[in-house]
Amino acid sequence: MDFIRKNIYNPIAVGITFLILVALLFITLWVLVPPPPRSIEMATGFPAGLYQQFGEKLQSELAEEGVSLKLRTTGGTSDNLALLGDPNSGIDFAIVQGGVADLSKHPNLVSIAGLFYEPVWVWYRESSFPNESGRLGLLSQLKGKRISIGNEGSGTLSLAPKLLEASGMSMSDIRPEKLKPLDALAKFKKGELDAVFLVSAPDAPLVKSFYETPGIRLMSFEQADAYAHLFPFLSKVSVPRGVISIAYDLPRQDIQVLAATATLVGREDVSPALVTLLLGDTYDILRDYSYLQKPGEFPSGVGLDFPVHVDAEIYLKDGPSFLHRHLPFWTAVWIGRFAKIVIPLLVIFIPLFTYIPAAKNLLLRLKLSQVYEELKVIERNALNPALRVKNYENLVDIERRVGNIKVSILDAKELYDLKGHVGEVRGRLSSLSKEK
């Protein structure tokens, strides 16, 4: 018991205990603030689509920062959402088409940023619409036609029926086929289709394959404003004549199309540092995307299906943090982690420092009180001759310990009072020895 008490009142023991507690708290916070992963996987889309092309550019950018990005081709947006919703899929991010997701089924997903417009292209054969002089301007004109409405798992298949239904038609009013874009193009060239729905950015390699097919045109949505009003996730976009291909003069006149927004989506627990890295590289990649969007319009946090990740929202508004603006990525990450740990520790411990003088005074008083308790025991046993030798031994030990106590000037009086009291006890023991 005496050993325990001595250690409780020992400032060195208290200091060591304090440092151990600080170290344990630091380690705990370090574990709770993990670094971003060095390897991630993203679901894209068709090998010939812009999702895949964007993914390959992002893959190259991330590799320069020491982050490995694996790409997984899929059937499209619906497949991507299913993969993101499956915690065992290995997919961390995906590119999805706006307006396709059922938010109630994906409450744990967040938007990192809108990437680019994806127009709803309706390619059609002029020869299939002789009564309209080869011109298609209303979706209702597709009644009874052979139409590719997209493949299973694609955003096109989710959107095309909605547009047709809004135009007063059901699937029974047309002859729909669920085809992949390249399969649809093959049948298109053979004259086995009258029209093809395709949701894709204008600079996607897939689009070039369509406009190189002779005898086809692009539909201009004459009711684009009405569709955009009915479907808030769609925007009306003007496509100038020849902007798709000057050589093929496509489109042959200024047209209006509907466009969804391709969005980079992840899980809500994504690392903030990784969000910063992805957005920084996305800015660099999208500088070259200028077909239908204005400079600086993307990446964007406006009009997205999923809520924008809080760190992405800050980045899109204010740009990268000071650390990420001036330091290499991983250097900024480790300094940022250290700051996130040290600042809370300072908030906790700086107020405690104001209590150090009071704590020191309390420790001194406890130490002096312990000595007084021992002196009381010696005095109680002073009249017992059998304990005379032990009393002297205990008193010598007390005198040695009291002589080693270091105090400030302000506490000197209490120490010297104690020394005086120790001397009084010694004097009493000496008097009793002489009497005997």
Side-chain angles (χ1 to χ4, degrees), residues 14 47 50 92 109-110 114 125 154 169 206 210 212 262 269-270 273 337 340 406 424 427:
V14 173
L50 191 60
D92 303 291
L109 300 185
V110 293
R125 303 183 66 85
S154 69
M169 291 188 293
L206 191 61
F210 273 86
E212 288 179 344
D269 59 353
V270 58
R337 286 185 75 202
K340 287 180 180 178
K406 307 295 183 183
E424 291 177 5

Side-chain angles (χ1 to χ4, degrees), residues 165-226:
E165 183 180 355
S167 305
M169 291 188 293
S170 65
M171 290 298 100
S172 61
D173 293 320
I174 61 173
R175 295 153 66 186
E177 295 193 37
K178 299 178 181 179
L179 301 172
K180 294 182 178 180
L182 293 179
D183 294 336
L185 179 62
K187 298 193 74 171
F188 211 23
K189 290 179 177 180
K190 297 176 182 178
E192 298 174 0
L193 289 175
D194 300 304
V196 174
F197 277 83
L198 177 66
V199 180
S200 178
D203 42 351
L206 191 61
V207 173
K208 181 179 179 181
S209 301
F210 273 86
Y211 69 62
E212 288 179 344
T213 302
I216 68 171
R217 297 187 64 177
L218 274 172
M219 172 185 171
S220 178
F221 284 80
E222 296 179 0
Q223 298 170 311
D225 287 307

